[in-house]
Amino acid sequence: MNRAAPAPLDNMGRPEPRLDGRAKVTGEARYGSDFIVSDVAHAFLITSPIAKGRIASIDTSLAKRLPGVIEVFTYENTKGLKEVPFSTGGGGATQSMQSMGPEIHHDGQIVGMAVADTYEAAQEAASLVKIDYDVEKPSATFGSPGVTQEDASKASERAKGLPQAGDADAAIAAAPVKLEAEYGTPTEHHNPIELFTTTAVWRDGEVTVYEPSQFVYGQKHSVAQKLGIAGDRVRIVSPYVGGAFGSKAQFSPRTGFVVYAAKVLNRPVKLVVTRDQGFTVQTYRAETRHKIRFGAEQDGSIKGFSHEGFEVTSRPDPYTVAGVEDSARVYNYGTVKTHVTLVHADRNTPGFMRAPPVVPYIYALESAMDELAVKLGMDPVELRRKNDSMKDTTGKEWSSRSLMKCYDEAASAFGWSKREAKPGAMRDGDWLVGFGCASAIYPTHIGASAVRVRLESDGRVRVQLAAHDLGTGAYTVIGQMAAEKLGVPMVHVSVELGDSTFPAAPVAGGSNTTASCCNAVMKACDAILAKLNPPTATTGSNTGAARDIEQAFERLGVGVIEEYAEYLPPGAKPDTMAHLYHGKPFLSGGSKGEKLMYALGAEFVEVRVHRQTREIRVPRIVGAFAAGHIMNTRTARSQLMGGMIWGISSALHEETEIDKRNARYINDNLADYLVPVNADIRDLQVILVPERDTFVNPAGIKGLGELGNVGTAAAVANAVYNATGIRVRQLPIRLEKLMA
Ligand code: MOS
């Protein structure tokens, strides 16, 4: 193919199959704990059974007498470890509570680690360590005695300068139609199928860490900081990640303990965190609350919008997602008021999870939009159309916005026109049928990224960068960009990712990988093409085809051309790349740039609620999404499909239950923590809506990994209302909430 050919009219890339597909289905793909390390010792974590208090005494003597046990680590013999500062931008530490004691800050805190010749011995040793605690009464969540509140904008950089425009209170007060409603979302855990694992191998004062990671450069420098050594003595290897959803983007205390143990014992150490321990030694999505107020004219034009968010976090860390930053942008509301309050409890610090800011905040917004439509007696799609605008309330313009195109395509594919607005009006035998819809929105993040591309004279291409494939298709789209630019077939391209010895790439968070890395690949390939086909006086450009690769190499008298390139998105500073190499990511875009850069979509859901049992089913869901240039329609569809399934999950299934007396998670296993199974997901349709936007970046890519997960919960809730007349304002929607 000719690399100079413009993208097809619909701006859709080819549905290339996954480059890593074969390795995955044959079991060749090595995940973090699959690397074979000789003479490895096994570690098992000991976690606190109390949420607040202090370790009074520790007795390891029994554990240490067990055959095969090498050492038991506690706070008493891990004092050599340094602190890694907590940060909320990816990289950095998951939390500032990093020691094994003696203070206990949350249930399930790591208080010890047994290391033995076998996994079984380590596990048994862990159970034989006797720890006594002085117990204090913990505060679990919203409403628990002892929690403290804080204005998020004073505590966290993320929540500074949240959008405000005009006098929303006055506009709402003066509006003829008002709506006020409160919503809530529960605690949720990522539960990637691949467990959290760490294997550390020291050799000649340097350490290699095998660990599933969403950010190997961040991890590299955090490990170095933790050990108090130079960054160049640490290598992170993470070629495959078995699901992450935000839980593997930061440095967790466990990694420090394993790396430290391997050093002290002068022997490789491997840790596999158990499923239940994973609920407390990593992050989670904290519960949120929302207070929304709308003022509107009778014709549906919104005059004022106020969104107050409340988010739970730990005692010391001001983790916040502050999704009003995005909810305030979706429509032009005339006036906007936003605020976020943090509620500090005796919990571990929450973290990124599946479209962190937008999932809870857009659930609240899009539920309230539906309630407003009901109040106005208006079609919910028309209410969105009425307030659709190429400028947000603060006056900022959109780089591109295909929201109503998505609505129109999804509505027609879904058969929205058949909907009866009156709740309970649609029935099929014993089933109450409901239709609902909601907007999906996700900020387009673009990060600084470097890459090395090597073209050989036989036309084979190798691409190396420290990006990550979490199952998303990163290998494939990165390879595809190189193949398309250089005009070689995909089978000639190999891609290597997930190693901190490769050129630096961003944290795989915020759905930025495709947009960031593909632009870097484009740049490196352009440099290769410039060498292959030097600009001539007549054309003044380097657009000659790369099809004569062999000839060109002969003329140049070389065997390979290798180019290293760095892509810096707008807003990057001269030292941005140097910072990335030191583990500090940089993401621009979203609402932070000159224009609003977002991918958008619309989701339509049919629910059926059984008249008597109140069983809830989702037989149909249709999502239409616009996200600029789609690199690969197959991997894009998979991502959007997965997102919508997680959306149904948060709507109907997921909730981590908390024992409030003990601030402890109850259902910390995959039997009791509900996620959808095949029987829960029926007809699911993804529509890719063509969109062109080269303002966002030269490749015109917006990123869509998390987009499909946004809005689904509201669409389901809105459909449940249409079916039953019951408005559930606290997720998940379980059948007991529909017992009227
Ligand atoms: Mo994703 S929750 O932005 O890692």
Side-chain angles (χ1 to χ4, degrees):
M1 68 170 281
N2 185 349
R3 86 199 149 74
L9 277 179
D10 63 3
N11 209 14
M12 300 288 162
R14 286 176 299 168
E16 295 286 356
R18 283 182 189 251
L19 273 187
D20 50 338
R22 189 190 161 80
K24 281 185 171 169
V25 297
T26 56
E28 273 167 41
R30 293 271 176 98
Y31 289 77
S33 62
D34 294 339
F35 287 87
I36 293 161
V37 174
S38 60
D39 196 33
V40 72
H42 297 265
F44 198 94
L45 295 178
I46 305 164
T47 55
S48 165
I50 70 158
K52 191 178 183 184
R54 200 166 204 283
I55 294 174
S57 66
I58 303 178
D59 182 357
T60 60
S61 56
L62 201 56
K64 282 188 173 173
R65 282 206 297 274
L66 196 72
V69 172
I70 301 161
E71 181 60 282
V72 175
F73 292 91
T74 66
Y75 77 89
E76 286 163 336
N77 57 357
T78 50
K79 287 179 179 155
L81 286 166
K82 313 275 185 287
E83 295 293 297
V84 177
F86 165 76
S87 85
T88 52
T94 53
Q95 60 181 21
S96 59
M97 302 166 289
Q98 296 172 14
S99 74
M100 288 191 182
E103 277 77 30
I104 302 300
H105 305 283
H106 63 88
D107 178 71
Q109 176 182 322
I110 301 170
V111 289
M113 187 173 80
V115 181
D117 289 329
T118 64
Y119 177 83
E120 291 74 14
Q123 185 177 27
E124 190 174 355
S127 75
L128 294 176
V129 174
K130 191 169 159 28
I131 305 179
D132 287 321
Y133 299 89
D134 294 328
V135 186
E136 288 174 51
K137 205 169 163 36
S139 311
T141 180
F142 292 129
S144 299
V147 295
T148 57
Q149 293 204 348
E150 187 180 26
D151 178 346
S153 70
K154 297 210 166 70
S156 167
E157 275 305 311
R158 245 201 91 82
K160 283 197 170 43
L162 295 173
Q164 319 288 344
D167 187 345
D169 286 331
I172 294 167
V177 181
K178 299 178 187 55
L179 180 94
E180 193 170 324
E182 290 183 24
Y183 304 90
T185 65
T187 315
E188 293 174 353
H189 277 78
H190 313 77
N191 276 308
I193 291 303
E194 179 197 29
L195 296 167
F196 303 110
T197 79
T198 304
T199 305
V201 184
W202 285 85
R203 181 177 287 176
D204 304 329
E206 299 187 358
V207 66
T208 301
V209 181
Y210 303 92
E211 178 174 309
S213 171
Q214 292 175 256
F215 190 29
V216 290
Y217 267 89
Q219 193 69 352
K220 170 187 165 93
H221 287 282
S222 293
V223 167
Q225 253 181 316
K226 195 75 196 167
L227 273 289
I229 61 175
D232 59 10
R233 289 172 60 193
V234 182
R235 177 185 175 195
I236 311 293
V237 179
S238 177
Y240 294 98
V241 182
F245 315 115
S247 64
K248 295 167 182 171
Q250 286 169 284
F251 179 78
S252 88
R254 79 168 202 271
T255 303
F257 298 138
V258 175
V259 175
Y260 184 73
K263 185 167 194 244
V264 172
L265 301 176
N266 196 24
R267 186 171 165 183
V269 173
K270 173 173 173 172
L271 170 74
V272 177
V273 176
T274 62
R275 176 66 58 187
D276 61 317
Q277 290 172 342
F279 273 69
T280 62
V281 308
Q282 293 291 141
T283 59
Y284 59 98
R285 192 204 296 281
E287 50 276 31
T288 68
R289 283 184 182 175
H290 306 264
K291 188 172 177 184
I292 287 193
R293 290 181 298 135
F294 271 127
E297 299 288 346
Q298 201 59 60
D299 68 356
S301 64
I302 297 169
K303 296 295 171 195
F305 170 60
S306 165
H307 194 163
E308 290 170 74
F310 300 82
E311 304 176 20
V312 163
T313 185
S314 63
R315 287 287 178 195
D317 299 324
Y319 181 84
T320 175
V321 299
V324 292
E325 181 63 43
D326 306 301
S327 67
R329 313 287 181 181
V330 185
Y331 309 103
N332 193 322
Y333 309 100
T335 59
V336 159
K337 182 179 177 180
T338 62
H339 190 262
V340 176
T341 301
L342 291 177
V343 175
H344 294 275
D346 297 306
R347 301 270 296 280
N348 56 321
T349 306
F352 317 115
M353 179 170 157
R354 291 186 205 126
V358 269
V359 157
Y361 280 82
I362 299 301
Y363 155 68
L365 169 68
E366 290 296 293
S367 295
M369 283 295 280
D370 198 71
E371 295 206 46
L372 183 60
V374 169
K375 216 163 202 192
L376 292 161
M378 203 168 168
D379 183 292
V381 176
E382 295 316 306
L383 177 61
R384 270 103 179 170
R385 197 183 314 279
K386 184 86 194 168
N387 297 285
D388 183 47
S389 168
M390 283 306 289
K391 267 187 189 173
D392 80 352
T393 318
T394 69
K396 221 173 200 188
E397 270 182 53
W398 290 73
S399 69
S400 60
R401 176 180 164 97
S402 308
L403 182 68
M404 292 323 296
K405 249 190 238 164
C406 293
Y407 265 103
D408 291 339
E409 292 222 15
S412 119
F414 181 83
W416 181 251
S417 59
K418 296 192 195 78
R419 171 182 182 263
E420 303 237 20
K422 193 168 140 21
M426 295 188 287
R427 293 202 179 201
D428 182 2
D430 278 338
W431 294 90
L432 307 173
V433 180
F435 291 179
C437 64
S439 304
I441 169 167
Y442 197 82
T444 295
H445 293 126
I446 314 123
S449 178
V451 68
R452 191 182 299 119
V453 179
R454 174 191 169 102
L455 174 67
E456 303 200 17
S457 57
D458 61 4
R460 276 182 307 166
V461 177
R462 189 191 67 190
V463 183
Q464 280 181 328
L465 72 163
H468 318 81
D469 193 321
L470 320 174
T472 46
Y475 277 107
T476 313
V477 297
I478 287 168
Q480 209 168 338
M481 181 53 95
E484 284 170 12
K485 286 300 287 183
L486 296 173
V488 303
M490 272 295 266
V491 287
H492 286 184
V493 180
S494 70
V495 179
E496 294 172 39
L497 306 178
D499 189 321
S500 66
T501 58
F502 295 156
V507 54
S511 301
N512 84 86
T513 294
T514 304
S516 313
C517 300
C518 286
N519 278 293
V521 172
M522 246 171 77
K523 212 173 154 186
C525 291
D526 278 335
I528 290 175
L529 290 169
K531 281 193 180 159
L532 274 182
N533 310 301
T536 61
T538 44
T539 62
S541 73
N542 62 342
T543 53
R547 60 182 172 266
D548 302 324
I549 288 174
E550 233 168 305
Q551 259 185 352
F553 271 96
E554 242 167 66
R555 180 168 37 82
L556 293 167
V558 294
V560 292
I561 301 179
E562 188 171 282
E563 283 294 328
Y564 167 87
E566 294 182 346
Y567 169 72
L568 288 174
K573 301 203 168 61
D575 57 1
T576 293
M577 192 52 73
H579 277 142
L580 182 63
Y581 271 97
H582 285 92
K584 289 188 188 64
F586 169 84
L587 292 183
S588 70
S591 58
K592 302 293 181 200
E594 192 192 319
K595 291 187 179 181
L596 296 170
M597 296 184 237
Y598 284 83
L600 292 150
E603 299 187 18
F604 286 71
V605 171
E606 175 183 327
V607 304
R608 292 184 168 225
V609 178
H610 194 275
R611 196 166 56 87
Q612 278 154 341
T613 65
R614 313 311 269 181
E615 180 185 347
I616 311 159
R617 301 268 102 197
V618 178
R620 255 168 8 108
I621 175 165
V622 177
F625 304 95
H629 174 58
I630 304 298
M631 277 302 295
N632 181 318
T633 50
R634 184 194 306 249
T635 53
R637 201 175 293 278
S638 290
Q639 284 292 283
L640 292 164
M641 215 183 266
M644 285 158 76
I645 293 169
W646 279 127
I648 292 174
S649 186
S650 71
L652 301 178
H653 302 272
E654 285 184 78
E655 173 169 24
T656 310
E657 311 272 357
I658 303 176
D659 168 358
K660 289 189 186 164
R661 294 159 304 179
N662 299 304
R664 177 187 301 159
Y665 302 133
I666 300 166
N667 52 339
D668 54 357
N669 59 75
L670 280 180
D672 298 319
Y673 185 91
L674 302 182
V675 294
V677 297
N678 282 337
D680 294 307
I681 306 300
R682 306 286 292 277
D683 188 353
L684 190 153
Q685 191 186 347
V686 171
I687 299 167
L688 296 167
V689 175
E691 186 181 65
R692 211 171 278 272
D693 183 343
T694 48
F695 181 86
V696 287
N697 52 68
I701 299 166
K702 280 187 172 177
L704 47 68
E706 289 158 282
L707 177 63
N709 188 27
V710 188
T712 324
V716 172
N718 299 342
V720 165
Y721 173 79
N722 182 235
T724 64
I726 300 171
R727 181 69 66 176
V728 179
R729 299 190 183 87
Q730 172 71 44
L731 295 180
I733 304 166
R734 301 232 178 110
L735 55 81
E736 64 268 21
K737 293 181 185 167
L738 300 182
M739 298 283 180

